[in-house]
Amino acid sequence: MEILWVLMALVMFGFVLLPFLRRRRGGAIEQVHPGHPDAADPANYGFAQQEELDIRMPGPDQDLVDVLEVVQRSQDHPAAAQLLAGTETEGELRWQRVQAFAGAASLELRQRPGGVSETPGGQWLRVWRTQAPKDPGGAAVHAEFLVQQAWRTSTPGTDEFRIIMEEARAACGDAALLAPGDPIPYIIELSVARGLAYSQAEFEQLWLKILDRAPNHMGAHLAALHYWCEKWHGSREQAYGFAEAAAARAPRGSLLAAMPLFAVFEHLPEVNLVSGFYQSEVVTKAVHGALHAVHSSRPDDPMLAHVRHLLVFFLVRSERWAEAMSQLIHIDGHVGALPWTLSADPAAEFAVYRALAVAGYEANGGSPATLPH
């Protein structure tokens, strides 16, 4: 047991020193003491300090940030309702904003569960549903809130989890009735389908409803991919097949071409025993597809940051330092995306990879002056 604690302490000590990495040309990345003249410092590139990283969103959305601040300060919902009402129904942005509002309410409730003399957190969402029961935005946020509560507060397979998920499924139905052409209630139900183990036939019926409304919605495809993964209700082959089919039919400029990279990520081995795995053909092909998707997509595509974050993970693991830096300059400051959100401390996890990218980049002759913006 003592050995285990020593190993854990060494790992944490290494994480603390990661911002002070250097890499000798022709050699391996090394740890050096703070202030060493060869230490790689992410701040030299204008990157945000770790404590300044925003874990709520994958990229900037100032309108959402402003509204969240108003809602949480006033504990009232009109600003949120107005923002969603003015956001395109079929687009990725509305889906991200629904998730953000639901996540904010869920986090508030966890921080302030309420009591005899305390109002529970997220009260503004309950008031929203009570005062505006016909508002499709409020209905969608409530359904997503229930889904997030199920995953965060209970364990799949337990009665508590099933009860919350059944409530979420009913809420998805209510939201769908309020906005028949809106794909979001059905996208939310994809997570319900995974949690309640819909049969593949039931899942396909749900998926067809989404394709009828938003066939190229990447957020929906990412949610569906989870269902088809080996760890849930499909297999590696089914997940890869789903992702590759989406990429193959992706219209020009669509980020769906990056779907195979997400499938590879979902099936990474827990312990990698294969030398050069991140330089293997399957990884390289998926990375190239994602890079092509990024280069050909609209600069304002709301899903672009999601792809860039995952690319940083794979490019660093592949020791493609300059390419990793090229992605970092676009996303630094926000870490609310895979793979960082799987960590207990997303900002710290992101900072580790960023430090590695900087060290590797400088070891190969890079500097702030040579990094294109």
Side-chain angles (χ1 to χ4, degrees), residues 79-309:
Q82 184 177 6
L83 182 65
L84 286 184
T87 306
E88 181 187 8
T89 301
E90 295 80 12
E92 307 281 356
L93 188 59
R94 188 164 185 269
W95 168 227
Q96 291 190 19
R97 287 173 170 176
V98 165
Q99 288 181 298
F101 285 130
S106 179
L107 180 60
E108 282 184 37
L109 183 59
R110 184 170 62 182
Q111 293 173 338
R112 300 195 313 276
V116 176
S117 59
E118 182 184 41
T119 301
Q123 181 68 20
W124 53 269
L125 178 54
R126 286 181 283 277
V127 173
W128 188 357
R129 291 297 294 131
T130 301
Q131 294 184 352
K134 300 298 184 183
D135 182 354
V141 172
H142 179 239
E144 173 65 15
F145 167 81
L146 290 171
V147 166
Q148 293 193 26
Q149 282 295 99
W151 291 109
R152 288 176 176 174
T153 65
S154 55
T155 303
T158 63
D159 287 344
E160 181 186 7
F161 181 84
R162 181 184 56 77
I163 290 169
I164 301 174
M165 276 297 187
E166 289 288 0
E167 187 179 354
R169 173 155 60 177
C172 288
D174 293 340
L177 289 174
L178 292 172
D182 188 349
I184 288 181
Y186 301 102
I187 298 174
I188 297 170
E189 193 179 348
L190 291 173
S191 188
V192 176
R194 177 162 55 100
L196 293 181
Y198 283 21
S199 69
Q200 292 190 2
E202 290 174 315
F203 188 87
E204 290 283 10
Q205 290 179 349
L206 173 61
W207 183 239
L208 287 175
K209 293 176 182 178
I210 295 170
L211 292 182
D212 286 343
R213 292 163 174 80
N216 299 315
H217 198 292
M218 187 167 180
H221 280 79
L222 291 176
L225 176 64
H226 290 301
Y227 177 91
W228 293 115
C229 285
E230 189 173 64
K231 58 190 173 186
W232 288 105
H233 308 298
S235 65
R236 180 188 300 264
E237 292 71 23
Q238 286 176 302
Y240 278 29
F242 175 81
E244 289 166 1
R249 67 170 182 270
R252 184 177 180 82
S254 169
L255 287 167
L256 286 175
M259 283 297 299
L261 188 64
F262 287 87
V264 171
F265 177 76
E266 291 295 336
H267 292 87
L268 289 177
E270 291 188 12
V271 179
N272 180 26
L273 301 177
V274 179
S275 177
F277 171 79
Y278 287 93
Q279 289 81 31
S280 65
E281 182 180 357
V282 64
V283 173
T284 300
K285 182 180 178 182
V287 167
H288 284 171
L291 285 170
H292 173 75
V294 165
H295 293 153
S296 60
S297 69
R298 299 189 338 264
D300 62 345
D301 191 316
M303 295 302 294
L304 183 55
H306 287 273
V307 181
R308 290 192 189 277
H309 279 287

